[in-house]
Amino acid sequence: MSKKKGLYIALLILGIALVGLQVFVLKDIGNKQLSGICIGVGAGLFGMGAGQLISIMVIEKHPEAKRKVDIEAKDERNMYINDRARARAFNAMEIILPILALVLILMGEPLLTVLLVIGAYLTGWGTYIGYLGKYQKEM
Amino acid sequence: MESVLDIKPYRWYIAHVKRTFHFKSEVVTVKNRIEEIRKAMGLTQEELADRLEVSRQTVSSLENGRYNPSILLAFKIASFFCTAIEDIFVYEGDERDE
């Protein structure tokens, strides 16, 4: 069994366990927040694990399809397109987040909410500057 | 009278918005003879893509001049066609240089 398959089986089991925890234990305690987190995360993990496992099983049965999927994933044009689109999306977030912070201030939202948005904006910039330095050294 | 939009930070912001949301193509491609050589060898785009381990769309984009290959792929193509890179890819200068 491949490492990937093992990981997805573990995620699937964890998802079922979280949903089970909510259904059999937390339902009676009445903690709505914790119940919501368990159902949400559990269902997400179950869906992801099951989906990935099915795709791995289908691909294992059809090696030619696996080769094609690998070629599509490693195709340099696809990677280039993906990188460019992601770079544009980052630029768009640079525009959207300050506007969002301004709107939140004008709406009179609590300072913490505004600071969280600004924190997200600065994290994006921090990551960008970090990778700039890394790639400057590498190339 | 100076408008609010002429203040420097706003100008930077507007320039950034324009850079982000424009759809004009920036790619300057080199001409190539891939289609001609592929057809001479009697290969389909699908077969060539399979041999080069790239997607069929990549071969199609290369032939149509919409995409420049990396130097590694250019070497791979030249090696597959048993020829030199400069026999396949022709650099005719950047239009923006003129």
Side-chain angles (χ1 to χ4, degrees):
Chain A
M1 190 169 62
S2 69
K3 270 187 185 175
K4 259 188 177 178
K5 212 171 167 181
L7 173 74
Y8 292 128
I9 289 173
L11 288 178
L12 189 79
I13 294 168
L14 186 66
I16 295 169
L18 281 173
V19 173
L21 184 74
Q22 195 280 330
V23 172
F24 297 111
V25 184
L26 296 171
K27 201 179 168 190
D28 302 327
I29 297 171
N31 188 333
K32 273 190 178 175
Q33 274 183 331
L34 202 58
S35 290
I37 290 172
C38 279
I39 284 280
V41 175
L45 288 178
F46 177 80
M48 190 180 83
Q52 293 291 345
L53 272 178
I54 291 167
S55 101
I56 287 174
M57 278 152 73
V58 169
I59 276 172
E60 271 177 356
K61 279 184 188 169
H62 303 91
E64 189 50 35
K66 183 184 184 320
R67 192 171 161 269
K68 285 200 169 163
V69 168
D70 283 347
I71 286 175
E72 284 288 332
K74 288 176 191 163
D75 180 61
E76 67 165 47
R77 179 175 158 273
N78 285 347
M79 284 164 77
Y80 176 64
I81 290 171
N82 203 16
D83 287 348
R84 280 189 76 185
R86 277 169 190 263
R88 282 286 181 95
F90 174 69
N91 284 357
M93 292 312 286
E94 273 184 316
I95 293 162
I96 293 161
L97 284 178
I99 293 173
L100 179 65
L102 197 67
V103 168
L104 288 175
I105 292 166
L106 293 174
M107 281 168 67
E109 288 294 320
L111 183 65
L112 182 68
T113 316
V114 178
L115 287 178
L116 280 173
V117 172
I118 293 171
Y121 177 72
L122 292 178
T123 307
W125 267 98
T127 312
Y128 169 67
I129 291 166
Y131 274 105
L132 265 187
K134 182 183 178 322
Y135 292 141
Q136 291 278 7
K137 275 183 201 166
E138 275 181 12
M139 295 180 195
Chain B
M1 199 181 86
E2 192 176 322
S3 134
V4 181
L5 293 176
D6 290 332
I7 300 166
K8 270 187 181 173
Y10 286 96
R11 258 190 277 174
W12 171 83
Y13 194 75
I14 288 165
H16 186 69
V17 171
K18 279 182 184 168
R19 264 202 311 275
T20 303
F21 295 109
H22 77 89
F23 292 100
K24 200 180 157 197
S25 174
E26 306 150 344
V27 183
V28 178
T29 50
V30 292
K31 288 194 174 170
N32 67 70
R33 295 174 52 231
I34 295 175
E35 186 176 8
E36 180 194 328
I37 302 173
R38 173 180 65 77
K39 282 183 177 165
M41 286 175 84
L43 290 169
T44 63
Q45 284 188 343
E46 191 87 46
E47 286 163 346
L48 179 62
D50 197 60
R51 304 272 180 89
L52 296 172
E53 296 186 323
V54 294
S55 67
R56 193 200 58 77
Q57 288 93 331
T58 300
V59 172
S60 168
S61 293
L62 285 168
E63 288 184 358
N64 291 329
R66 289 196 306 264
Y67 173 66
N68 284 330
S70 70
I71 192 76
L72 289 175
L73 181 57
F75 270 113
K76 213 170 174 181
I77 293 167
S79 161
F80 178 73
F81 288 147
C82 301
T83 182
I85 285 183
E86 57 268 31
D87 292 336
I88 302 173
F89 298 96
V90 187
Y91 179 66
E92 292 181 329
D94 188 338
E95 280 174 22
R96 289 177 299 191
D97 293 343
E98 290 155 15

